[in-house]
Amino acid sequence: MNSAIKKIFLFFFVCMMASCLFHCPVSLHAEGILGKLAKGEGKWGQHWKPIEMFRWWDPEHYFEPENKIEGVFEGEKCVICHTLTTPRIAIDWKESAHSKAGVTCDKCHGSDHQKIQLPNPDTCAKCHPEQVNEFKSEKETGHPSHARAFHPDVVEAGWQISKPQPEVAGCAQCHAVENKCDSCHFRHRFKAAEARRPEACSYCHNGPDHRDTECYTTSAHGVITALDGDNWDWDKPLKVGNYRAPTCAYCHMYNGTHNAVENAVYSHIGVEEIDRGAEEFAEKRKAWTNICNDCHSARFAAAYLRGADETVKVSHAKVREAKAVVEDLHKEGLLDAMPKDLARYLDEGHKWNLGGRMYNVTAIEREFFDMLVYQGTTIFKAAFHMSANLQTYELGAFKQDESLAKIKSEASKLRRLKSLEDKVGIKYESFDFWKVGEYTNSLKVIK
Amino acid sequence: MNSAIKKIFLFFFVCMMASCLFHCPVSLHAEGILGKLAKGEGKWGQHWKPIEMFRWWDPEHYFEPENKIEGVFEGEKCVICHTLTTPRIAIDWKESAHSKAGVTCDKCHGSDHQKIQLPNPDTCAKCHPEQVNEFKSEKETGHPSHARAFHPDVVEAGWQISKPQPEVAGCAQCHAVENKCDSCHFRHRFKAAEARRPEACSYCHNGPDHRDTECYTTSAHGVITALDGDNWDWDKPLKVGNYRAPTCAYCHMYNGTHNAVENAVYSHIGVEEIDRGAEEFAEKRKAWTNICNDCHSARFAAAYLRGADETVKVSHAKVREAKAVVEDLHKEGLLDAMPKDLARYLDEGHKWNLGGRMYNVTAIEREFFDMLVYQGTTIFKAAFHMSANLQTYELGAFKQDESLAKIKSEASKLRRLKSLEDKVGIKYESFDFWKVGEYTNSLKVIK
Amino acid sequence: MNSAIKKIFLFFFVCMMASCLFHCPVSLHAEGILGKLAKGEGKWGQHWKPIEMFRWWDPEHYFEPENKIEGVFEGEKCVICHTLTTPRIAIDWKESAHSKAGVTCDKCHGSDHQKIQLPNPDTCAKCHPEQVNEFKSEKETGHPSHARAFHPDVVEAGWQISKPQPEVAGCAQCHAVENKCDSCHFRHRFKAAEARRPEACSYCHNGPDHRDTECYTTSAHGVITALDGDNWDWDKPLKVGNYRAPTCAYCHMYNGTHNAVENAVYSHIGVEEIDRGAEEFAEKRKAWTNICNDCHSARFAAAYLRGADETVKVSHAKVREAKAVVEDLHKEGLLDAMPKDLARYLDEGHKWNLGGRMYNVTAIEREFFDMLVYQGTTIFKAAFHMSANLQTYELGAFKQDESLAKIKSEASKLRRLKSLEDKVGIKYESFDFWKVGEYTNSLKVIK
């Protein structure tokens, strides 16, 4: 325990510091001085401006310190002040391995308080080169990957840029994983034991196009983890025998690798119609079966994977049946609005991109998008993560049955309207609201 | 340990009591003696009859004791009997602070067994006046609020009363929070440590118009709580430094206040198109930023809030685009059924109320309702609770894209049908099924 | 601790064994030797072929050992080898009651490694006859039941067989509960303490037609279990006083019975329009109220059940209103495609089955299916499991309002199109895509 006098001294010291802080303007940038935020980066850089949060989501490109506290602080000095101003950060750090190893605040944030920096993977690599190199090696291993999640998936994707940035902030928030290690290793403890838990992955891996959490938690693996996981020693490495049930990290970061893409069979072809039995996947599939083999027989694992592939194939057959119906409408000019009658796309103009757009399309095209991308991804992920409900019922096969029925009923109506109009001599021209409207106009601004 | 003889005595004593109980009719009221349940209260009192559960959901208005056990019991005497008849209630109470403080059953329920009462906030106020006063002060602070959740949100809302009461029982069950403290402090432990946990709030705060739980659990704050919360000391007060991550209660009941409305910026304008940057919110926003400031820099917090506001604004721009499409249909009389062709509303007759009705409307109006109220609320709550998926994907911005496409495709068909009918001389009159039907007729009964 | 020499010996022994294993073909069956998998069983046996996973989902009918390891192993000998080859299985077993009781691997799987068997309930009955007999007694108690989940619900259901088997693999995965005790008692611990937890039930009881988990977790019972369940002693039997809140097993396996159907009031009439107050349910309802009575007054319990029944009745009134609208379309031949214009059904040919089919139907019929089966089941299960949101909002009453609006708007359009076609002399014939398509054709193959 510190003495009372030391405490009083500290209190006044911190009050003085804090007083400086509170008298400075909260945000210079908000008043027009945008600094690095004035312009986006990448292929479409001239078309977009990042929202302020990009400072923290991509600090390497956008962060600029703005801090009135003067002085150079090192080691315990930072901790003393922050124990009073932001106590939890200090407490968390004190409970971290960093604290025990003498990695004080300044080691990652710098010591000049007016030039405070936010760490990026390179900062972490100074002490953890192996993990960061493995993480970065994902760029070579495949796509999608954590290491390429921000560039190109957010910053260089036409549809991301064409939409107002605040609308797609949710994308950037998670895809920032490329730029910062604390997406998984929550600050300021950064514990591997926490990052190993499926809850950590669930922060981003949920929802229609990343439905891994929902699939895992409804699988037998996930249920056993929910039942018993709190009794496990998550400090143990991700090695055979250490975990009663496989977790996200156990399989995808097998033996602790930080390249989570190498342990996956078909990460990039969830929604693509690709020959899933092709030779190119044989080796990956064998590696995968070896992981299953930690607990299951090789025969069981191989049979399960073959079954899951067949489940995905049926899903694609259903999608192709729907696709033919919509393509015929397009060919005959029968959509509610043809591509030329919709707002222009930033990247593809008026090109038709069935299944590639979830906005600025007609209802039947959006239904098809859902069927292919949202339901298709769910079926793929559910089948390979053993979720009975999600592959067949709720958002899977039987949902695709519904989309197929809706697409056919809509096609039927569009064709009947056309026949009637032809018969009575009406020439249907799509209504103006398809390309003009308050929100739709805001898409054009970025063109 | 009690002696065996004492136990045997108790057993026979209780059996005798229980025998009285089992020989009494289960419910007199079900046999026609409705008592206080004969008539609703409030503005529409003459139009509705509460279901039986209102006895427990609003005991002050509707509870009437009905108990054959005679006698006046106090202190341990109640506990002795209930330890055998309803053991868990007794065990829970024994583990409560009430037990330690000598607050026995009779203190809250009364001692005359045939006049047993259910406690309401005023009962709790006898010992906890500060908390109950804070809770009641919500009535002055704003709306919605826990303290006004039953009156006016349930009992005096026209649409609640126009629907059959058993159908909207789910509303009353949660909104009963106005009338009873055990909505959060689960009986019979009533532990603050439990009420502080987000699970307690999740009991009511879930689903399309109260989607706080889903938004919180998919935020970084929620994920850290899921990962680590079981290791926290929830007996600690809701003060800076005590919790590693903010919970519902940490921010909204900051420093332990039971007025959960005062710590919120825009609780009442989730779905309303209001100038979110207006002066009137400046002070609340500053107070809020101060809470964030417990862990985050003021600049970070302010930037996040500004971004969330922009996210909500885009959502409203999209809603307005859809609204214009539906309003034009209404103006030109082109809805599947115009308001006059639908069943009358209890409170507004045949007045058109776009976005204000989720039933007894046509498909395009319901789609608009979902877009504004369900998706709009989700986007608002997700943005301000930092859920990436819910603000942008699953039930947020991209769902609104779908609703917009559906609304336009539907409008397109309605217009084409009208042009065809005009051309061939058909005068479309909406079908009878719009205002007549087995369920729809049951709405009218309450008119 | 074993000595180092013993460890080295073991290592080489196991390597030798494993080497045999890895040199054998992974699957003979995949190369055309289908064995027991060549043909399905049951009424439609000649029409279908099980997928490979049926070996493990219904081992009694389909499992054939295929193992190159020669030899007969008993007791600890199995454990020695599997501690190295599949360590977690061995660790889990070591922590099981089986281990303590000397129930080694061979007791359930046999000792001849080339004739390894998978256990089924009869295997377990050798030591646990009471539990298995109770489980099997469900066959007489009612339907649906765990003990009849595979036959007839999967194997003998026409619609299950008419769909490609990989598509409905999710059904078989859970319904396999009929054939194996480890659906609830997760291998290789088989702990009752785990099977008692709601997480265990949640493995199967989720999703649109089994939405028990979602309903329970959003009820007060479920919330208390989430808040406090980790502090409970789940080794305690399912008896009054042992659990602070009721769980799935507490009520449905009351006092530990393995007949989970006997403790339910209307398990078979969730979606059926049956007189819920009928005499035949009176006794079951009374038994049920007795369970509630462990904690609640009989009056409270009876009132709640009456209210839930009324909630379900309103749901059915709404369904009947929609049904009349669709039936009128059918009567007048106005569906997008009439039953004769759809693909034939395996079991019912071209018979119309409104509400009985979720695929190979038109959009309005599917909407009706959702309204009756998915939303109706949700309302039923939510009302009786006390989920406020699910009975009224998200997927309940207000979702049915949406379906009703959609059904009426669709009916309106179908009728207007018909009037127009009649007027101008067009004879609408349903388009070919209704009965022909890549997926739809695959249904016919099994005809």
Side-chain angles (χ1 to χ4, degrees):
Chain A
M1 286 289 283
N2 297 318
S3 73
I5 290 164
K6 197 170 162 191
K7 272 187 179 171
I8 290 165
F9 169 78
L10 265 172
F11 178 76
F12 283 104
F13 171 75
V14 170
C15 287
M16 198 184 63
M17 290 295 196
S19 139
C20 301
L21 188 68
F22 286 123
H23 285 93
C24 74
V26 168
S27 175
L28 288 173
H29 303 319
E31 297 169 41
I33 307 158
L34 280 171
K36 291 184 176 179
L37 291 173
K39 186 170 120 33
E41 45 151 344
K43 191 161 133 192
W44 310 97
Q46 76 280 20
H47 293 284
W48 68 290
K49 256 188 0 212
I51 63 170
E52 289 175 81
M53 289 306 295
F54 272 65
R55 275 196 204 111
W56 293 272
W57 292 338
D58 186 6
E60 199 181 332
H61 283 91
Y62 299 109
F63 188 77
E64 290 170 288
E66 181 199 65
N67 205 300
K68 286 291 170 204
I69 307 277
E70 287 181 26
V72 173
F73 305 94
E74 276 175 8
E76 288 295 324
K77 281 187 189 144
C78 311
V79 180
I80 288 167
C81 199
H82 277 280
T83 297
L84 288 171
T85 53
T86 56
R88 276 312 307 190
I89 293 180
I91 295 171
D92 286 340
W93 172 81
K94 280 174 193 165
E95 293 176 5
S96 73
H98 281 173
S99 165
K100 290 174 194 73
V103 181
T104 46
C105 315
D106 54 304
K107 300 291 188 297
C108 306
H109 292 289
S111 52
D112 183 336
H113 212 283
Q114 295 201 328
K115 295 181 181 167
I116 286 298
Q117 288 301 324
L118 291 183
N120 60 29
D122 291 330
T123 319
C124 305
K126 286 184 210 157
C127 299
H128 307 282
E130 190 188 344
Q131 287 83 352
V132 175
N133 286 338
E134 282 168 352
F135 169 76
K136 290 193 171 179
S137 74
E138 283 189 353
K139 293 190 189 192
E140 277 73 54
T141 313
H143 184 247
S145 74
H146 300 99
R148 285 158 51 97
F150 207 73
H151 311 82
D153 290 354
V154 169
V155 158
E156 290 173 17
W159 68 270
Q160 274 280 326
I161 300 307
S162 76
K163 276 180 163 274
Q165 288 308 296
E167 187 188 358
V168 288
C171 305
Q173 182 181 317
C174 276
H175 280 254
V177 64
E178 178 184 321
N179 309 319
K180 50 206 275 295
C181 297
D182 73 336
S183 291
C184 312
H185 295 273
F186 297 109
R187 60 187 186 271
H188 282 93
R189 283 210 197 153
F190 312 107
K191 284 180 75 169
E194 286 185 356
R196 283 185 192 115
R197 293 186 69 135
E199 290 91 340
C201 310
S202 82
Y203 172 40
C204 294
H205 286 266
N206 65 80
D209 27 18
H210 319 79
R211 209 177 282 294
D212 307 280
T213 297
E214 296 91 324
C215 294
Y216 176 74
T217 52
T218 50
S219 73
H221 295 154
V223 167
I224 292 171
T225 304
L227 272 173
D228 195 34
D230 282 341
N231 304 317
W232 303 349
D233 179 0
W234 294 87
D235 280 314
K236 286 191 179 176
L238 299 164
K239 282 186 192 302
V240 62
N242 285 348
Y243 289 85
R244 181 174 169 205
T247 56
C248 317
Y250 183 88
C251 296
H252 293 291
M253 303 182 74
Y254 197 58
N255 286 329
T257 178
H258 276 62
N259 178 327
V261 179
E262 65 187 3
N263 294 310
V265 186
Y266 321 100
S267 63
H268 58 308
I269 55 166
V271 299
E272 290 177 41
E273 291 183 49
I274 278 175
D275 176 8
R276 306 181 72 82
E279 194 57 36
E280 59 175 308
F281 305 118
E283 200 176 338
K284 284 192 156 195
R285 177 190 288 273
K286 202 175 158 189
W288 192 260
T289 314
N290 277 344
I291 299 177
C292 308
N293 206 208
D294 282 357
C295 296
H296 296 284
S297 74
R299 181 167 71 135
F300 176 92
Y304 190 88
L305 294 184
R306 273 192 294 271
D309 269 331
E310 294 304 314
T311 300
V312 176
K313 282 183 196 166
V314 175
S315 146
H316 278 300
K318 212 181 281 176
V319 166
R320 284 191 300 268
E321 179 163 334
K323 196 177 187 185
V325 172
V326 186
E327 282 179 341
D328 283 350
L329 290 174
H330 176 254
K331 213 176 295 164
E332 301 172 44
L334 298 182
L335 295 168
D336 274 317
M338 295 296 288
K340 68 172 177 48
D341 301 317
L342 295 166
R344 263 191 100 253
Y345 287 112
L346 175 66
D347 49 353
E348 300 187 307
H350 289 296
K351 192 187 154 203
W352 199 46
N353 185 348
L354 180 63
R357 302 278 177 205
M358 98 290 276
Y359 68 105
N360 190 31
V361 291
T362 67
I364 198 169
E365 294 163 284
R366 169 64 194 234
E367 192 72 45
F368 179 79
F369 177 88
D370 284 10
M371 189 180 179
L372 170 66
V373 181
Y374 290 164
Q375 298 156 25
T377 299
T378 297
I379 291 170
F380 164 62
K381 289 188 180 267
F384 281 93
H385 292 97
M386 293 116 223
S387 169
N389 173 30
L390 289 169
Q391 72 184 268
T392 298
Y393 301 86
E394 185 130 40
L395 304 166
F398 298 173
K399 192 75 183 169
Q400 281 196 327
D401 286 332
E402 185 176 343
S403 288
L404 184 60
K406 284 185 181 174
I407 285 170
K408 289 183 177 181
S409 279
E410 182 78 353
S412 180
K413 267 169 224 62
L414 291 169
R415 290 182 171 280
R416 291 170 77 177
L417 284 167
K418 182 61 162 55
S419 299
L420 284 161
E421 286 160 347
D422 285 352
K423 184 88 174 190
V424 304
I426 287 179
K427 186 170 157 38
Y428 168 61
E429 283 184 50
S430 74
F431 299 98
D432 275 353
F433 55 63
W434 285 108
K435 64 166 59 165
V436 180
E438 188 173 342
Y439 168 77
T440 302
N441 295 350
S442 80
L443 294 176
K444 287 195 214 153
V445 169
I446 329 171
K447 187 171 57 181
Chain B
M1 284 290 281
N2 298 318
S3 72
I5 290 163
K6 198 169 160 191
K7 272 188 177 170
I8 289 165
F9 168 79
L10 266 172
F11 178 74
F12 283 104
F13 171 75
V14 170
C15 286
M16 200 185 60
M17 291 296 198
S19 142
C20 300
L21 186 70
F22 285 123
H23 285 93
C24 74
V26 167
S27 176
L28 289 173
H29 302 320
E31 296 167 41
I33 308 159
L34 279 171
K36 291 185 177 179
L37 291 173
K39 187 168 118 36
E41 47 152 342
K43 192 161 132 191
W44 310 97
Q46 75 280 20
H47 293 285
W48 68 290
K49 256 188 0 212
I51 63 169
E52 290 175 80
M53 289 306 296
F54 273 64
R55 275 196 204 111
W56 293 272
W57 292 337
D58 186 5
E60 198 181 332
H61 284 92
Y62 300 109
F63 189 77
E64 291 171 287
E66 182 198 66
N67 205 298
K68 285 293 171 204
I69 308 276
E70 288 179 25
V72 173
F73 305 94
E74 278 177 4
E76 285 296 324
K77 280 188 189 146
C78 312
V79 180
I80 286 167
C81 199
H82 277 281
T83 298
L84 287 171
T85 53
T86 55
R88 276 313 306 191
I89 293 181
I91 295 171
D92 286 340
W93 173 82
K94 281 174 194 166
E95 292 176 5
S96 73
H98 281 174
S99 164
K100 290 175 194 71
V103 181
T104 47
C105 314
D106 53 305
K107 301 291 187 299
C108 307
H109 292 289
S111 53
D112 183 336
H113 212 282
Q114 295 199 329
K115 295 182 182 166
I116 287 298
Q117 288 301 324
L118 291 183
N120 60 30
D122 290 329
T123 319
C124 304
K126 287 182 210 159
C127 299
H128 308 282
E130 189 189 343
Q131 288 83 351
V132 175
N133 286 338
E134 283 170 352
F135 169 76
K136 289 192 173 180
S137 73
E138 284 190 352
K139 293 190 191 193
E140 278 72 54
T141 313
H143 184 248
S145 73
H146 299 100
R148 285 158 50 96
F150 208 73
H151 311 83
D153 290 353
V154 169
V155 158
E156 290 174 16
W159 68 270
Q160 274 280 325
I161 301 305
S162 76
K163 275 180 164 275
Q165 288 308 297
E167 187 187 359
V168 289
C171 306
Q173 183 181 317
C174 276
H175 281 253
V177 66
E178 177 184 320
N179 309 319
K180 47 206 278 294
C181 297
D182 73 336
S183 292
C184 312
H185 294 274
F186 296 110
R187 60 184 185 273
H188 283 92
R189 283 209 196 153
F190 311 107
K191 285 180 73 168
E194 286 185 358
R196 283 185 192 115
R197 293 186 67 134
E199 291 91 339
C201 311
S202 82
Y203 172 40
C204 295
H205 286 266
N206 64 82
D209 27 18
H210 320 78
R211 209 177 283 294
D212 308 280
T213 297
E214 296 91 325
C215 294
Y216 176 75
T217 52
T218 50
S219 74
H221 294 154
V223 167
I224 291 171
T225 305
L227 271 173
D228 195 33
D230 282 340
N231 305 318
W232 303 349
D233 179 0
W234 295 86
D235 280 314
K236 286 191 178 174
L238 299 164
K239 282 185 191 305
V240 63
N242 286 348
Y243 290 85
R244 181 174 169 205
T247 57
C248 317
Y250 184 87
C251 296
H252 293 291
M253 303 182 74
Y254 196 59
N255 286 330
T257 177
H258 276 62
N259 179 326
V261 180
E262 66 186 4
N263 294 311
V265 186
Y266 321 100
S267 64
H268 59 308
I269 55 166
V271 299
E272 289 177 42
E273 291 182 51
I274 279 175
D275 176 8
R276 308 182 70 83
E279 194 56 38
E280 58 174 309
F281 305 119
E283 200 177 337
K284 285 193 156 195
R285 178 191 287 274
K286 200 175 160 189
W288 192 260
T289 314
N290 277 343
I291 300 178
C292 309
N293 206 208
D294 282 357
C295 296
H296 297 284
S297 74
R299 180 167 71 137
F300 176 93
Y304 190 88
L305 293 184
R306 273 192 294 270
D309 269 331
E310 294 304 315
T311 300
V312 176
K313 283 184 196 165
V314 174
S315 147
H316 277 300
K318 211 181 282 178
V319 166
R320 284 192 299 269
E321 178 162 336
K323 197 177 186 185
V325 172
V326 186
E327 282 178 340
D328 283 349
L329 290 175
H330 176 255
K331 214 175 296 164
E332 301 172 44
L334 298 182
L335 296 169
D336 275 317
M338 295 297 287
K340 69 172 175 47
D341 302 317
L342 295 166
R344 263 190 100 255
Y345 286 111
L346 175 66
D347 49 352
E348 300 187 307
H350 289 296
K351 192 188 152 201
W352 198 47
N353 185 346
L354 181 63
R357 302 278 179 205
M358 98 289 277
Y359 68 105
N360 191 30
V361 290
T362 67
I364 199 170
E365 293 163 284
R366 169 66 193 234
E367 192 72 44
F368 180 79
F369 176 89
D370 284 11
M371 189 179 178
L372 170 65
V373 182
Y374 291 163
Q375 299 154 25
T377 299
T378 297
I379 292 169
F380 163 62
K381 287 186 181 269
F384 281 92
H385 291 97
M386 295 115 221
S387 169
N389 173 29
L390 288 170
Q391 72 184 269
T392 298
Y393 301 86
E394 185 130 38
L395 304 165
F398 297 173
K399 191 78 183 167
Q400 281 196 330
D401 286 331
E402 184 176 344
S403 287
L404 183 60
K406 283 184 182 176
I407 285 169
K408 290 183 177 181
S409 278
E410 182 78 352
S412 179
K413 268 168 222 63
L414 291 169
R415 292 183 170 280
R416 292 170 77 177
L417 284 168
K418 183 60 164 54
S419 299
L420 283 162
E421 286 159 348
D422 285 351
K423 183 89 174 190
V424 304
I426 288 178
K427 184 169 159 40
Y428 166 63
E429 284 183 50
S430 75
F431 300 99
D432 275 353
F433 55 63
W434 284 108
K435 64 165 60 163
V436 180
E438 188 173 342
Y439 168 77
T440 302
N441 294 350
S442 79
L443 294 176
K444 287 194 213 156
V445 171
I446 330 172
K447 187 170 57 180
Chain C
M1 284 290 282
N2 298 317
S3 72
I5 290 164
K6 199 169 161 191
K7 273 189 176 170
I8 290 165
F9 170 78
L10 266 172
F11 179 75
F12 282 104
F13 171 75
V14 170
C15 286
M16 197 184 63
M17 291 296 196
S19 140
C20 300
L21 188 68
F22 284 123
H23 284 94
C24 74
V26 167
S27 176
L28 288 173
H29 303 319
E31 297 168 40
I33 307 158
L34 280 171
K36 291 183 177 180
L37 291 173
K39 187 169 118 34
E41 44 150 345
K43 192 161 132 191
W44 310 98
Q46 75 280 20
H47 294 285
W48 67 289
K49 257 187 0 211
I51 63 169
E52 290 174 80
M53 289 306 295
F54 272 64
R55 274 196 204 111
W56 292 272
W57 293 338
D58 186 4
E60 198 181 332
H61 283 93
Y62 299 110
F63 188 76
E64 291 171 287
E66 182 198 65
N67 205 299
K68 285 292 171 207
I69 306 277
E70 288 181 25
V72 172
F73 304 94
E74 278 176 6
E76 286 295 325
K77 281 188 188 145
C78 311
V79 180
I80 286 167
C81 200
H82 277 281
T83 298
L84 288 171
T85 53
T86 55
R88 275 314 306 190
I89 292 180
I91 295 171
D92 287 340
W93 172 82
K94 281 173 194 165
E95 292 176 6
S96 74
H98 281 173
S99 165
K100 290 175 193 72
V103 181
T104 46
C105 314
D106 53 305
K107 300 293 187 296
C108 307
H109 291 290
S111 53
D112 183 336
H113 212 283
Q114 295 200 328
K115 296 180 181 167
I116 286 298
Q117 288 300 325
L118 291 183
N120 60 30
D122 291 330
T123 319
C124 304
K126 287 183 209 158
C127 298
H128 307 282
E130 190 189 343
Q131 287 82 351
V132 175
N133 286 340
E134 282 169 353
F135 169 76
K136 288 192 173 180
S137 73
E138 284 189 351
K139 293 190 190 192
E140 277 71 53
T141 314
H143 184 247
S145 72
H146 299 100
R148 285 158 51 97
F150 207 73
H151 311 84
D153 290 354
V154 168
V155 158
E156 289 172 18
W159 69 269
Q160 273 281 326
I161 300 306
S162 77
K163 275 179 163 276
Q165 288 308 297
E167 187 187 359
V168 287
C171 305
Q173 182 181 316
C174 276
H175 280 253
V177 64
E178 177 183 320
N179 309 318
K180 48 205 278 294
C181 298
D182 72 336
S183 291
C184 312
H185 295 273
F186 297 110
R187 61 185 185 271
H188 281 96
R189 283 206 196 156
F190 311 107
K191 285 180 75 169
E194 287 185 356
R196 283 185 193 115
R197 293 186 68 134
E199 291 91 339
C201 310
S202 82
Y203 172 40
C204 294
H205 286 267
N206 64 80
D209 27 18
H210 319 78
R211 208 178 282 293
D212 307 280
T213 297
E214 296 90 326
C215 294
Y216 176 74
T217 53
T218 50
S219 74
H221 295 154
V223 167
I224 292 171
T225 305
L227 271 173
D228 195 33
D230 282 341
N231 304 318
W232 303 350
D233 179 1
W234 294 86
D235 280 313
K236 285 192 179 174
L238 298 164
K239 282 185 192 303
V240 63
N242 286 347
Y243 290 86
R244 182 176 168 204
T247 57
C248 317
Y250 183 88
C251 296
H252 293 290
M253 304 182 73
Y254 195 59
N255 286 330
T257 178
H258 276 63
N259 179 326
V261 180
E262 64 186 4
N263 294 311
V265 186
Y266 322 98
S267 64
H268 58 308
I269 55 166
V271 299
E272 290 176 40
E273 292 181 51
I274 279 174
D275 175 9
R276 306 181 72 83
E279 194 57 37
E280 60 175 307
F281 305 119
E283 200 177 337
K284 285 193 157 193
R285 177 191 288 273
K286 202 175 156 189
W288 192 259
T289 314
N290 277 343
I291 300 177
C292 308
N293 206 208
D294 282 357
C295 296
H296 297 283
S297 75
R299 181 167 71 135
F300 176 92
Y304 190 87
L305 293 185
R306 274 192 294 271
D309 270 331
E310 294 305 314
T311 300
V312 175
K313 283 183 197 166
V314 175
S315 147
H316 278 300
K318 211 181 282 177
V319 166
R320 283 191 301 268
E321 178 163 335
K323 196 177 187 186
V325 173
V326 186
E327 280 178 342
D328 283 350
L329 290 174
H330 176 254
K331 214 176 294 165
E332 301 172 43
L334 298 182
L335 295 169
D336 275 317
M338 295 296 287
K340 69 172 175 48
D341 301 317
L342 295 165
R344 263 190 100 254
Y345 286 112
L346 176 66
D347 50 351
E348 301 187 306
H350 289 297
K351 192 188 152 202
W352 198 47
N353 185 346
L354 181 63
R357 303 277 177 206
M358 98 290 276
Y359 68 104
N360 190 31
V361 290
T362 67
I364 198 171
E365 294 164 284
R366 170 64 194 233
E367 192 71 44
F368 180 79
F369 176 88
D370 284 10
M371 189 180 179
L372 170 65
V373 181
Y374 291 162
Q375 298 154 26
T377 299
T378 297
I379 291 169
F380 163 62
K381 288 186 181 269
F384 282 92
H385 292 97
M386 294 116 222
S387 169
N389 172 30
L390 288 170
Q391 71 184 269
T392 298
Y393 302 85
E394 184 130 40
L395 304 166
F398 298 173
K399 191 77 182 168
Q400 280 196 328
D401 286 332
E402 184 177 344
S403 288
L404 183 60
K406 283 185 181 175
I407 284 170
K408 289 184 177 180
S409 278
E410 182 79 353
S412 180
K413 267 169 222 63
L414 290 170
R415 291 183 171 280
R416 292 170 77 178
L417 284 168
K418 182 61 163 53
S419 300
L420 283 162
E421 286 160 348
D422 285 352
K423 183 89 175 189
V424 304
I426 288 179
K427 186 171 158 37
Y428 167 62
E429 284 182 49
S430 74
F431 299 99
D432 275 354
F433 54 64
W434 284 108
K435 63 165 61 164
V436 180
E438 188 173 343
Y439 169 77
T440 302
N441 295 349
S442 79
L443 294 176
K444 286 196 214 155
V445 170
I446 330 171
K447 188 173 56 181

